Amino acid sequence: MRRFAVLVTAVTAATAVAVPAQAQSTSTPTAVTLKPPLSGLVDRAEPATGAYAPVVDSFVIRVNWSDLQPQQQAGTDHGGALDTTAIDLAVTAANAAGMHARLRVVGGIHAPDWAKTLGGASPIPWYTSGTLAGTIGAFWTSEYGTAYQNLQDRLAARYDDEPRIRDVVIARCTTEFAEPYIRQTGQLSLNRPGLEAAGYTGAADDQCHRDEIDAHDVWEQTRSYLAFNPYQRINEVTWTGSVDMPYTRQMIDYCRTSLGARCVLGNNSMYPDRPNNYYAMWAYIAGKGGPISYQTATADLVCADQDPCPASTWNQTLELALTYGANAVELPRTKTGYQSWSIADVSPNHGLQHYDDLLEAAAGP
């Protein structure tokens, strides 16, 4: 495991967002109270149970866009009524447990079929690791953007004032995961035909990243979480891939400029054995101050296939998150995930309670 330097950052988070008055109104603009950021340790799949529930006391509500909005509204470029059953059940569970949640609506291969054919396009076969993962839509097009904006409009109208949902995930410009800066550039020989036929361009992709952030401006009380990676840029002229770190930094800046304290900066693959460009990105994120949230890499990566997973290995990963400004960290709950780790300290290592306390303190009051 690589060594990492301690980076000290000052975390400043605004607590209110001004809402402009209507042009014809002479009343004083009202202030909308911004929900506190999600903080502490977070189960990335469902509410923690048993002795872990008081410590891992937040969780992710993960819903596929295809399940949430399965039908297109006739005569439009957007979906019809939402089926919020899964979200509502999760909110009920959060209320019962006294927990808070992150809402992650996953697009890409999990977008509805109608969204994948907007503008008369054909679904694009999408390969990862040499295997067909599913199909995606032309996420960079204006038609797809209209559908995503409508989705956010409807979700915000229903859940912006729901206190249990602390943040929502930005995920329009995605392929396989809810990580918009991953393009599986190692698979371009397989993915090029579909992208080329659908009219993909790097310029349109760049605009997509700006527009997906702007689409979340409808969330006035609820923060929006964006998972960054060293950007995997596709050149549609040479059909080659490259890592574009300046663009990653540019979009980190854009998210904070567009949404202010409503933008939660983060990354979904944190563990010590990462290339230097990840460390540079984490440092840039930390330099922006909170709110900052990370997701660990999978338990298999963090534990390097060790079973049981040594506590010292998890310690290194969570120390890394704290070093780079985190106020929340998503944990996996697989066999070698957090439920195999001690809650209390076991010398010479720390338990989960130690890190939950530090992360919540980093989030502030």
Side-chain angles (χ1 to χ4, degrees), residues 51-125:
Y52 289 90
V55 181
V56 185
D57 54 0
S58 297
F59 66 99
V60 173
I61 304 171
R62 186 188 186 281
V63 184
N64 292 340
W65 185 6
S66 58
D67 295 327
L68 181 61
Q69 203 174 30
Q71 302 298 326
Q72 184 175 3
Q73 185 167 318
T76 74
D77 282 335
H78 59 72
L82 302 182
D83 181 353
T84 61
T85 303
I87 300 174
D88 295 337
L89 287 172
V91 169
T92 298
N95 269 312
M99 295 183 177
H100 294 101
R102 164 172 291 151
L103 177 58
R104 175 172 286 129
V105 178
V106 188
I109 61 174
H110 302 290
D113 289 341
W114 59 262
K116 297 175 182 178
T117 60
L118 287 170
S122 298
I124 302 166

Side-chain angles (χ1 to χ4, degrees), residues 338-352:
Y338 76 84
Q339 290 184 313
S340 67
W341 193 20
S342 172
I343 294 173
D345 284 8
V346 178
S347 182
N349 301 304
H350 291 300
L352 291 169

Side-chain angles (χ1 to χ4, degrees), residues 159-171:
Y159 296 110
D160 195 25
D161 60 357
E162 170 51 62
R164 293 297 172 184
I165 295 179
R166 290 287 178 85
D167 67 38
V168 296
V169 171
I170 299 173

